Amino acid sequence: MSITIALAGNPNSGKTTLFNALTGSNQFVGNWPGVTVEKKEGKLKGHKDIKIMDLPGIYSLSPYTLEEVVARNYLIQKRPDAIINIVDGTNLERNLYLTTQIIELGIPVIMAINMMDIVAKNGDKINIKKLSIELGCEIVEISALKGTGIQSAVELAVAMANSKRINLPVHRFDQIIEKELDKIKGMLPNNITEEQKRFYAIKLFERDDKISELIGKIPDVESIVTKIEEKFDDDAESIITNERYQFITSIIDDCYKRNSREQLSISDKIDRIITNRWLALPIFAIIMYTVYYISVSTVGTWATDWANDGVFGDGWSLFGIAIPSIPSLIEGLLISLGTAEWLNGLVLDGIVAGVGAVLGFVPQMLVLFFFLAILESCGYMARVAFIMDRIFRKFGLSGKSFIPMLIGTGCGVPGIMASRTIENDRDRKMTIMTTTFIPCGAKLPIIALIAGALFNGASWVAPVAYFIGIGAIVISGIILKKTKLFAGEPAPFVMELPAYHMPTLLNVLRSMWERGWSFIKKAGTIIMISTILVWFTSYFGFVDGKFMMLEDTQLDQSILASVGNAIAWLFTPLGWGDWKAAVAAITGLVAKENVVGTFGILYGFTEVAEDGVEIWGTLALSYTQIAAFSFLIFNLLCAPCFAAIGAIKREMNNGKWTAFAIIYQTVFAYLIAFCIYQIGNAVITKTFTIATIIAIIVIIGFIYLIVRPYKESKKHDVGFDNVVTSK
């Protein structure tokens, strides 16, 4: 018989770490809310009939954000066979609020107190036996990170699921409240079990509309609640919340003994510098510059040069043994098979040239992901969200908006999905629209391409691209917040900062590999299909009225050239109005890595790569530095790849909002790239044209939109068709 066990707990309590340990899955483990934005399913190692569900972190079963809705709806509608409630032992009192609610669900519950190794290290003591009696549920001590106690927890959960043993709530509210709750329980429909009735009665008492949607309105409840509110002189939800915390406080005093610590912890001492009002931003800038410098200009460059010059170039040696390159191996194989000329061209000039040009940047990406994983695991990136809240709040966003952007540095899709942590609908929409401005892993090859080809591998290109992304978010926040669509105060940002700790090598490598492998899989599927299409349309066309395969010198007559020439004029004001660059930008909509793959085919990188010194030569002769920088910025800021657009559509839940987001991103990118090229070219060449004047007017327009006073923001909310996104 199949058994389903749900993992539920507060954010940062260790659910995903426990999920990985139980299932062997490689879900990303972070230390801010929203890393798990949907429920994740896996099989218990060695037991195909036991499913483990990793639910998003929630603080209570009274949800305000979308990921809290996902977690609660699963628990009350799908009703797993058992729940393992993961509790952070270092923050026991806060975590127990959710526990008191979970026990009321009428589902077998096991509490797993996590981080017990840290509790012991701090000199604190938890009386597990007494706490178990007070709460009325079984308790197991675990350390998800070290793997201790987790087997006992899951075995106990399986045993309780098989026995159907329900934890009956042992805590009771005020006698008057309990009396009224009994009345509400008597009004509930018969399809709700006795074990569930207490939970539903409490939710109805708290005027939880979502519960009313599930079981229908019960008119008599309103009079009961109103009478209690008048008696206690408070709203119903606050009354219940206060009652819960009184119960928690009463048992904490007896069950949790803290070691008195008057000195500041190491984390507190570090935070005095890291989160300092004046030092925080410079430190963040230095750290990110260093990360990108190492990833793109030193270690990453060495590794990428080895890949381009060796694996995809002249070949390489291992312990003195000469190993041929992939292109030469494939070419030799094709010659030995005597394949047709068009097939040779497809494989060598299409697949190998396109995919090889992209895969050559994998080493740089792995280095970047390695350092980002360290920053995330040690707790620093959580501080960055706190730091950015001070800035973002001034521009209409909260620190919660920066969390999706941090996640988006790996891939824009989970970054967009992480916007579910934002309860304010306007702020969430604006975050979705701007999250992809931050360079994701797929855009790193474009950055490395431009930096290497046009700027001699300059170390400043990658960090500048990163901070331009942040600048685009800030400017967009200021401009959009002053419109009717996004008016209003930013959502409050409350976040617990985890203690600093040394990241485990396994988790860092796992995070790095998962992100890198996602990129490699894309290169083997979407990018390969795209490069085949690009090759076909590049090497076939009409000559003298006949459709035929073209020579390298005839590419200007290809199908792709015809398409590119038809749209190239759009990008002429941006400095790169030739058909090759135009086509590369368009193919980037399928997957951003396609920009490099397309150049790989059109400029024959694999042939040029045989002479390592000249690998970027063709590109460098085709564009000026300012035009190349304009190309880079446009591709970083314009509409994201199809996968990310799909995520925007899913999270917006509205076609008009999706279209608005894509149009805004593309127009914004076009205007920024236009201003960069026209002003930069005017300064370099000392010539001013009508386009220069237009660029100055655009800049003045941006400045006006930024500094103009708030007018509409004080008025009522307005949206497309007054749509409120829901899940």
Side-chain angles (χ1 to χ4, degrees), residues 12 19 55 62 117 155 158 167 174 349 509 542 605 647 659 661:
N12 301 330
F19 179 74
L55 302 179
S62 301
D117 52 329
E155 288 175 359
V158 171
N167 308 82
D174 181 273
D349 299 328
L509 293 177
F542 291 90
F605 276 179

Side-chain angles (χ1 to χ4, degrees), residues 80 144 167 190 211 229 284 289 291 308 396 411 445 477 487 539 546 559 639-640:
N167 308 82
N190 294 328
I211 293 296
E229 287 179 333
F284 174 58
Y289 178 87
V291 166
N308 283 329
C411 177
Y539 281 84
K546 294 182 179 179
I559 299 171

Side-chain angles (χ1 to χ4, degrees), residues 548-561:
M548 57 185 293
M549 185 174 180
L550 307 174
E551 300 293 335
D552 290 344
T553 57
Q554 296 176 302
L555 294 187
D556 289 343
Q557 301 179 59
S558 66
I559 299 171
L560 194 62

Side-chain angles (χ1 to χ4, degrees), residues 224-474:
I224 292 175
V225 175
T226 302
K227 182 177 68 174
I228 295 295
E229 287 179 333
E230 291 174 354
K231 184 173 186 63
F232 284 81
D233 193 25
D234 204 348
D235 66 276
E237 189 173 5
S238 297
I239 292 170
I240 294 296
T241 300
N242 184 58
E243 290 283 323
R244 290 193 191 281
Y245 274 117
Q246 284 184 4
F247 168 73
I248 292 169
T249 303
S250 69
I251 64 175
I252 281 290
D253 291 340
D254 293 332
C255 301
Y256 192 18
K257 302 299 180 184
R258 281 188 175 275
N259 179 28
S260 59
R261 297 185 295 271
E262 297 182 0
Q263 294 183 346
L264 290 174
S265 66
I266 295 176
S267 290
D268 292 333
K269 291 177 181 178
I270 296 174
D271 279 339
R272 283 194 164 185
I273 300 174
I274 295 296
T275 61
N276 180 274
R277 181 176 295 275
W278 307 110
L279 297 177
L281 282 179
I283 290 173
F284 174 58
I286 291 170
I287 289 175
M288 294 312 298
Y289 178 87
T290 303
V291 166
Y292 275 94
Y293 175 73
I294 296 173
S295 302
V296 178
S297 300
T298 56
V299 176
T301 297
W302 173 82
T304 292
D305 287 346
W306 169 79
N308 283 329
D309 299 343
V311 179
F312 295 101
D314 289 328
W316 51 295
S317 62
L318 180 65
F319 303 117
I321 302 173
I323 300 176
S325 66
I326 290 177
S328 61
L329 282 173
I330 295 176
E331 185 178 11
L333 177 63
L334 293 175
I335 292 173
S336 66
L337 294 175
T339 53
E341 182 183 351
W342 68 266
L343 183 58
N344 292 345
L346 169 61
V347 176
L348 294 174
D349 299 328
I351 297 173
V352 175
V355 176
V358 175
L359 290 179
F361 292 99
V362 168
Q364 284 184 332
M365 296 180 64
L366 292 177
V367 174
L368 174 64
F369 293 155
F370 177 79
F371 284 108
L372 289 178
I374 291 175
L375 293 176
E376 290 162 354
S377 298
C378 73
Y380 176 70
M381 281 305 199
R383 268 75 180 177
V384 174
F386 167 72
I387 293 164
M388 296 306 294
D389 180 61
R390 300 173 186 167
I391 301 173
F392 275 31
R393 189 160 295 280
K394 295 178 181 178
F395 305 131
L397 291 169
S398 76
K400 277 191 174 181
S401 297
F402 196 68
I403 292 171
M405 295 164 196
L406 287 175
I407 296 174
T409 56
C411 177
V413 174
I416 292 166
M417 292 172 62
S419 64
R420 296 180 183 183
T421 60
I422 304 169
E423 58 268 25
N424 185 298
D425 189 61
R426 297 183 302 269
D427 290 357
R428 189 166 55 82
K429 285 186 170 71
M430 188 156 63
T431 301
I432 291 170
M433 289 175 56
T434 57
T435 289
T436 54
F437 285 155
I438 290 287
C440 64
K443 295 175 183 177
L444 184 62
I446 307 176
I447 297 172
L449 172 71
I450 300 301
L454 278 301
F455 295 95
N456 297 317
S459 61
W460 58 268
V461 176
V464 165
Y466 183 85
F467 288 111
I468 283 178
I470 295 178
I473 292 166
V474 169

Side-chain angles (χ1 to χ4, degrees), residues 622-644:
S622 302
Y623 308 99
T624 64
Q625 286 188 330
I626 192 65
F629 195 69
S630 165
F631 178 83
L632 171 63
I633 297 306
F634 177 82
N635 281 278
L636 293 184
L637 300 181
C638 75
C641 65
F642 285 170

Side-chain angles (χ1 to χ4, degrees), residues 576-639:
W576 37 281
D578 78 313
W579 69 272
K580 293 181 180 179
V583 166
I586 298 303
T587 59
L589 291 175
V590 178
K592 288 300 177 183
E593 305 93 322
N594 273 341
V595 173
V596 177
T598 301
F599 277 135
I601 295 172
L602 299 181
Y603 286 98
F605 276 179
T606 50
E607 294 181 10
V608 177
E610 292 176 4
D611 185 348
V613 178
E614 298 178 0
I615 188 169
W616 307 122
T618 309
L619 263 187
L621 293 174
S622 302
Y623 308 99
T624 64
Q625 286 188 330
I626 192 65
F629 195 69
S630 165
F631 178 83
L632 171 63
I633 297 306
F634 177 82
N635 281 278
L636 293 184
L637 300 181
C638 75

